[in-house]
């Protein structure tokens, strides 16, 4: 039985990553929602490409697929020299990190794995075969860990939101981008909290933004919500203020690509303006993210590198040009929401005010 199938017995939604030892496939998210097609990932080169082209995306999924592509490649490696293995592992992990620069999960996972390979290489009692086995097993463990973390995030988020809920006891949520099963090993982060609220029968409605220019909301989140039969409505990004004015929104829940030590958060472009609008309308604004998205080495959001994507993501939808030829474009994939706009950061360890994150990181 594949590792992912084992976990999908628990209701977690769509399967974006299919893995069993020696075989890795990812659901091509460029083709969703119209086509469901899995792409084979046979090694690090394929891993880098599917991440860079955004056939797989979402901070946790990027890290897991990148590392699993290395596990897949190592399986065919018959090297008997641990020092060579260690060197190659480091080079390949650094290469994978370069595929997309903002999400920190893959960088932190790479650092952890490089440390592990240093230890295994230095330990004279470890044979090359044992090195390979321990290393691959440690990567495979990321799938389980991510799902466990997401379920804990879902529960903590659901409890905190219900505890602070005012009004009629039913929750109306706004979310941005895609943070569900497609963006993780399963269950999702912000969408995991929404899933938990739905399971608790306290979710009245979800509003999801279209999320231009890549349309993760319209194509992927809407797809997951319809698939899960969660009551939901799609809005375009410029409708957020109108929505908060017209309907009583209980809270906003979004994901994160990197959380700085002071709680500033990088997430899909558009998140910052939603946080500003939420503050104006007194709507609590939550960020749901595992600690694998928290970068203790970065003091504030100012220091987070923001990925800029090709103009064609803005000027074309599929094969169809929608913008006037010759126009200049600016296409940052993420923006920074300052900690002062964030009500709480929902993690697998509980829900924290952004300024409390530091105490946890450096205790
Ligand atoms: O460019 P993307 O689609 O990779 O951006 C994804 C997001 O911004 C998500 O909110 C974030 O990665 C968290 S996914 C659980």
């Amino acid at each position: 039985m594949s590792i992912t199938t084992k976990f999908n017995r628990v209701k977690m939604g769509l399967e974006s990553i299919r893995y069993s030892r020696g075989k890795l496939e990812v659901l091509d998210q460029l083709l969703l929602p119209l086509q469901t097609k899995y792409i084979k990932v046979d090694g690090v080169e394929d891993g880098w490409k599917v991440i860079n082209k955004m056939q797989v995306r979402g901070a946790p999924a990027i890290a897991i697929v990148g590392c699993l592509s290395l596990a897949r490649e190592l399986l065919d490696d018959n090297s008997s020299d641990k020092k060579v293995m260690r060197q190659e592992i480091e080079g390949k992990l650094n290469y994978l990190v370069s595929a997309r620069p903002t999400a920190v999960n893959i960088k932190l996972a790479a650092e952890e794995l490089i440390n592990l390979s240093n230890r295994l290489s230095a330990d004279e009692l470890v044979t090359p075969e044992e090195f390979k086995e321990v290393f691959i097993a440690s990567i495979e463990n990321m799938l389980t860990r991510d799902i466990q973390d997401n379920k804990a995030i879902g529960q903590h988020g659901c409890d905190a939101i219900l505890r602070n809920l005012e009004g009629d006891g039913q929750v109306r949520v706004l979310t941005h981008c895609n943070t569900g099963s497609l963006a993780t090993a399963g269950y999702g982060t912000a969408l995991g909290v929404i899933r938990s609220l739905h399971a608790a029968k306290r979710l009245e409605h979800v509003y999801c933004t279209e999320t231009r220019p890549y349309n993760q909301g319209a194509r992927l989140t809407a797809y997951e919500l319809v698939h899960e039969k969660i009551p939901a409505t799609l809005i375009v990004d410029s409708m957020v203020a109108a929505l908060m004015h017209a309907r009583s929104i209980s809270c906003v829940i979004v994901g994160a690509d990197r959380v700085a030590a002071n709680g500033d958060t990088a997430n899909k472009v558009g998140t910052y303006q939603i946080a500003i609008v939420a503050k104006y309308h007194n709507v609590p604004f939550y960020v749901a993210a595992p600690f694998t998205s928290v970068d203790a080495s970065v003091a504030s959001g100012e220091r987070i590198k923001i990925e800029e994507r090709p103009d064609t993501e803005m000027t074309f939808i599929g094969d169809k040009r929608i913008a006037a030829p010759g126009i200049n474009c600016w296409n940052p994939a993420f923006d920074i929401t300052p900690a002062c706009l964030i009500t709480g950061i929902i993690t697998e360890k509980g829900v924290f005010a952004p300024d409390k994150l530091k105490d946890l990181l450096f205790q």
Side-chain angles (χ1 to χ4, degrees):
M1 190 192 307
S2 85
I3 293 182
T4 42
T5 311
K6 195 166 80 190
F7 285 101
N8 280 329
R9 289 225 187 99
V10 190
K11 201 166 187 275
M12 283 175 323
L14 300 158
E15 199 179 12
S16 71
I17 305 166
R18 278 187 184 161
Y19 176 80
S20 55
R21 193 167 277 198
K23 190 169 175 202
L24 172 62
E25 292 178 330
V26 297
L27 183 56
D28 187 346
Q29 297 189 28
L30 290 174
L31 301 181
L32 288 175
L34 300 179
Q35 274 185 61
T36 305
K37 193 176 152 208
Y38 284 85
I39 320 164
K40 241 174 132 194
V41 178
D42 268 337
V44 166
E45 201 52 56
D46 286 354
W48 191 92
K49 276 191 202 137
V50 292
I51 294 168
N52 181 263
K53 283 170 71 180
M54 291 175 69
Q55 285 168 302
V56 65
R57 26 70 45 210
I62 289 170
I64 294 164
V65 168
C67 295
L68 284 175
S69 75
L70 175 61
R72 168 67 197 84
E73 186 159 310
L74 275 180
L75 204 65
D76 295 341
D77 183 344
N78 293 320
S79 173
S80 54
D81 186 333
K82 289 199 299 172
K83 288 207 170 56
V84 174
M85 279 163 77
R86 191 213 69 76
Q87 233 169 19
E88 285 189 356
I89 282 171
E90 182 166 356
K92 285 174 183 171
L93 282 168
N94 286 331
Y95 174 62
L96 285 162
V97 170
S98 75
R100 292 196 70 196
T102 302
V104 77
N105 310 50
I106 190 164
K107 182 175 164 275
L108 297 183
E111 282 168 10
E112 230 177 78
L113 288 169
I114 289 168
N115 287 339
L116 175 64
S117 77
N118 287 342
R119 284 199 305 277
L120 293 169
S121 168
D123 188 339
E124 283 170 10
L125 297 174
V126 174
T127 65
E129 291 70 34
E130 285 165 343
F131 178 134
K132 201 160 110 174
E133 173 58 34
V134 171
F135 193 81
I136 291 176
S138 157
I139 293 178
E140 291 172 346
N141 193 34
M142 289 172 76
L143 283 163
T144 332
R145 218 171 70 184
D146 188 55
I147 292 169
Q148 282 166 353
D149 287 350
N150 292 342
K151 296 189 113 187
I153 288 171
Q155 197 54 55
H156 287 306
C158 175
D159 293 347
I161 288 163
L162 293 180
R163 223 176 13 250
N164 299 325
L165 194 64
E166 289 171 6
D168 57 9
Q170 286 297 305
V171 183
R172 291 165 290 277
V173 180
L174 169 68
T175 191
H176 185 54
C177 197
N178 174 265
T179 59
S181 297
L182 294 170
T184 60
Y187 203 76
T189 56
L191 214 55
V193 177
I194 290 168
R195 209 186 283 275
S196 296
L197 286 164
H198 183 60
K201 301 203 179 339
R202 299 295 292 277
L203 179 77
E204 186 181 299
H205 211 82
V206 186
Y207 293 88
C208 64
T209 58
E210 186 184 28
T211 322
R212 283 285 296 149
Y214 186 83
N215 289 321
Q216 288 94 329
R219 295 188 306 106
L220 308 177
T221 302
Y223 184 63
E224 290 203 40
L225 291 168
V226 170
H227 182 83
E228 296 293 315
K229 298 189 174 51
I230 295 178
T233 297
L234 176 67
I235 60 166
V236 307
D237 300 356
S238 49
M239 290 173 185
V240 169
L243 176 79
M244 287 188 190
H245 179 75
R247 305 204 176 162
S248 166
I249 298 298
S250 322
C251 61
V252 176
I253 319 173
V254 296
D257 283 81
R258 192 183 295 228
V259 181
N262 72 342
D264 291 352
T265 296
N267 191 48
K268 179 53 51 193
V269 70
T271 304
Y272 176 33
Q273 66 194 19
I274 297 175
I276 292 172
V277 173
K279 186 82 165 180
Y280 181 82
H281 288 91
N282 259 325
V283 173
F285 183 95
Y286 292 96
V287 170
F291 265 83
T292 50
S293 302
V294 179
D295 188 353
S297 75
V298 155
S300 79
E302 293 296 316
R303 308 284 301 275
I304 298 176
K305 182 173 167 52
I306 301 291
E307 173 187 10
E308 297 205 5
R309 304 272 314 167
D311 292 4
T312 46
E313 282 182 1
M314 290 170 65
T315 53
F316 282 77
I317 292 190
D319 295 335
K320 199 170 164 21
R321 178 174 262 283
I322 54 159
I327 190 69
N328 293 317
C329 296
W330 179 50
N331 186 16
F334 303 97
D335 59 24
I336 306 289
T337 300
C340 61
L341 297 178
I342 298 170
T343 310
I345 301 184
I346 306 169
T347 75
E348 68 276 25
K349 297 181 187 166
V351 183
F352 305 102
D355 61 352
K356 291 284 171 294
L357 209 54
K358 252 195 202 118
D359 307 341
L360 290 156
L361 292 172
F362 303 112
Q363 68 191 358

